[in-house]
């Protein structure tokens, strides 16, 4: 009987230690890689052509499995420091390998063909952050 109580007690201690290590690991913020793309479109580009770019970019998460997250928007800053860049796209990846997969994916190459002649300038900025974006 004593050995059964001892075994159950040790099992409980082991379970509590394992539970604590799992919850601690789950509570720690995970690093993700953000891929930010800013566009300054050519002067006089028709709104329908800009929408074509937006729609094509927004379709990529449904075509490329390595994308964890996607968002986009237009500049609404009142500071006047955008240098003519009007649209931002942010794509989230688990790691550099996932980003590389995205960059070489045929769907991404097709997208580049859609946007290539419509943009005057592009800025691409990649950075590591926490999964939630909060610290």
């Amino acid at each position: 009987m004593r050995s059964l109580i001892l075994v159950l007690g040790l099992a409980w201690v082991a379970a509590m230690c394992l539970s604590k290590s799992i919850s601690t690991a789950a509570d720690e913020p995970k690093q993700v890689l953000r891929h930010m793309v800013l566009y300054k479109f050519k002067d006089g580009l028709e709104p329908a052509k800009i929408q074509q770019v937006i729609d094509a970019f927004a379709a990529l998460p449904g075509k490329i499995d390595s994308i964890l997250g996607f968002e986009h928007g237009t500049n609404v800053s009142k500071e006047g420091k955008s240098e003519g860049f009007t649209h931002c796209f942010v794509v989230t990846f688990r790691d550099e390998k996932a980003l590389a997969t995205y960059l070489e994916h045929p769907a991404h190459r097709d997208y580049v063909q859609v946007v290539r002649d419509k943009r005057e300038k592009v800025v691409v900025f990649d950075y590591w952050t926490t999964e939630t974006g909060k610290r």
Side-chain angles (χ1 to χ4, degrees), residues 62-75:
K63 298 176 180 180
I64 304 174
D65 291 339
S66 67
I67 296 174
L68 288 180
F70 172 81
E71 62 185 20
H72 66 91
T74 56
N75 181 33

Side-chain angles (χ1 to χ4, degrees), residues 9-100:
L10 289 174
W12 181 82
V13 169
M16 296 311 297
C17 289
L18 181 60
S19 168
K20 181 164 177 62
S21 68
I22 290 172
S23 68
T24 301
D27 294 341
E28 293 176 14
K30 295 177 185 171
Q31 292 287 304
V32 292
L33 183 59
R34 301 254 200 257
H35 175 73
M36 184 170 60
V37 180
L38 301 170
Y39 287 132
K40 177 180 182 181
F41 288 104
K42 290 183 177 180
D43 287 339
L45 188 65
E46 303 158 16
K49 297 282 186 182
I50 294 173
Q51 191 60 52
Q52 180 186 20
V53 170
I54 294 167
D55 293 344
F57 209 145
L60 292 178
K63 298 176 180 180
I64 304 174
D65 291 339
S66 67
I67 296 174
L68 288 180
F70 172 81
E71 62 185 20
H72 66 91
T74 56
N75 181 33
V76 296
S77 174
K78 305 294 185 216
E79 294 181 78
K81 297 180 180 183
S82 66
E83 301 290 325
F85 288 87
T86 57
H87 290 71
C88 178
F89 300 85
V90 180
V91 188
T92 303
F93 299 96
R94 177 168 286 108
D95 53 30
E96 291 165 340
K97 182 180 177 188
L99 173 59

Side-chain angles (χ1 to χ4, degrees), residues 90-126:
V90 180
V91 188
T92 303
F93 299 96
R94 177 168 286 108
D95 53 30
E96 291 165 340
K97 182 180 177 188
L99 173 59
T101 298
Y102 160 83
L103 292 173
E104 295 301 321
H105 195 283
H108 178 262
R109 287 193 211 134
D110 291 344
Y111 165 73
V112 170
Q113 296 305 311
V114 170
V115 71
R116 188 163 80 175
D117 64 341
K118 296 171 182 68
R119 63 187 185 204
E120 181 178 323
K121 289 185 179 181
V122 61
V123 172
V124 176
F125 192 96
D126 297 336

